[in-house]
Amino acid sequence: MITPTAPFPAPRAAAAAAGLTVAIDIGGTKIAGALVHPDGTMTATTRRATPRGVDAEGVMAAVAEVVADLSGSPLWASAVRCGIGSAGPVDTSRGTVSPVNIGAWREFPVQARVAAELAARGAELPTVLAGDGVAMTAAEHWLGAARGHANALCMVVSTGVGGGLILNNQLHPGPTGNAGHIGHISVAFDGEPCVCGSRGCVESIASGTAIARWAREQGWTPAGTVNGGTGADGGSASDHAEHADHTNGAGKARDASAVGVAAAAAAGDPIALAAFDRAGRALAAAIAATATLVETDIAVIGGGVAASGDVLFAPIRSHLAAYATLSFVKELRVVPASLGTHAGLIGAAAAAMMLLPSPPSS
């Protein structure tokens, strides 16, 4: 069912692209949709929980329900394009996704299937697919912390580490939509194996999962208790969180995730501080390498781990001084993302506006 939503704060100047954009955000916990105006306002949103224990068609049925909801809006006929943001891996050259947090989808042709659902609802629209890191990048450049920067690196640090690039004011997704995937830059020559098959990747050091694992391996244990358990969140640009709670004998959950490590670091725990310092150093090295390669002047970091604030940003900035040493990267800034839970839908719309041609004037 469509529910009204407060308009997203409009940017200082309207976007160049005209017409409404159908935005669909697919993550491990939810599938959301909205009609997004050229100034960034969302006049209607809808969502479904991402189905569990179903096959590929069962997940697609939830996407189809989101499209059907949106088609009931009186503004549906004004839509001129569609953007799909999805957890990855993605292959935009083929329009397929294999999200790590949606096991039923492997090389699923989501772009073609969404286009077919739109057509069935009377909207034969040009459609584009973007990975969640690229969508977040488009969102932050359009309306967020990278606004006004012609060259930017944007990152999601959560259960994994992803990202995207803005170069010369253009979104740069690359041939398969994976350009800017900073999580799999190797920053430790003899580092531990990464799930991708390489060694010493940023993700294997700085993801929420890696931070919590390393802290526990060094002997850190969560102190105190919280009521109940905390659920694991998915991996789209609007789903970032990383929780892996453990339970004590009293039935209370002790937070042994990166969230718990961050809380311990904020309280001065030396192992927790070391875990975030290690993560910050890995991120700083990768950010500096990227900036040196393509001359970005800002790095925007979002995601569940970034929500720890200065616990993460202070070591990144401290270590960045040792890596970003050349004159053209010395002024590189690292800032938190600003769009939060809006990033998925706003990013899907922004990616469509940046990557699809504008409709002809009537």
Side-chain angles (χ1 to χ4, degrees), residues 254-321:
R254 295 185 299 168
D255 195 350
S257 73
V259 175
V261 180
D269 183 285
I271 295 177
L273 284 167
F276 271 88
D277 185 74
R278 180 175 180 265
R281 184 179 182 185
L283 290 166
I287 290 167
T290 303
T292 302
L293 186 66
V294 296
E295 288 199 59
T296 58
D297 60 3
I298 191 169
V300 177
I301 305 179
V305 177
S308 58
D310 281 347
V311 167
L312 178 68
F313 283 92
I316 292 174
R317 290 167 179 149
S318 174
H319 287 294
L320 192 63

Side-chain angles (χ1 to χ4, degrees), residues 195-250:
V195 292
C196 75
S198 185
R199 283 187 172 272
C201 291
V202 175
E203 184 172 299
S204 69
I205 299 171
S207 70
T209 307
I211 290 169
R213 182 181 65 246
W214 187 86
R216 293 193 298 265
E217 288 173 351
Q218 305 310 305
W220 176 82
T221 56
T225 60
V226 295
N227 290 327
T230 307
D233 207 345
S236 81
S238 57
D239 290 342
H240 341 288
E242 193 277 331
H243 298 287
D245 298 330
H246 291 233
T247 303
N248 65 16

Side-chain angles (χ1 to χ4, degrees), residues 86-92 96-101 105-108 110 129-132 176-178 181 184:
S86 176
V90 304
D91 184 343
T92 58
T96 61
V97 296
S98 303
V100 294
N101 48 14
W105 277 5
R106 289 295 172 265
E107 298 186 4
F108 187 78
V110 68
L129 170 65
D132 54 4
T176 66
N178 291 288
H181 201 338
H184 295 289

Side-chain angles (χ1 to χ4, degrees), residues 147 182 224:
R147 183 176 174 81
I182 194 170

Side-chain angles (χ1 to χ4, degrees), residues 11 105 125 152 203 333 354-355:
W105 277 5
L125 305 179
E203 184 172 299
R333 296 172 55 217
M354 295 180 82
L355 297 174

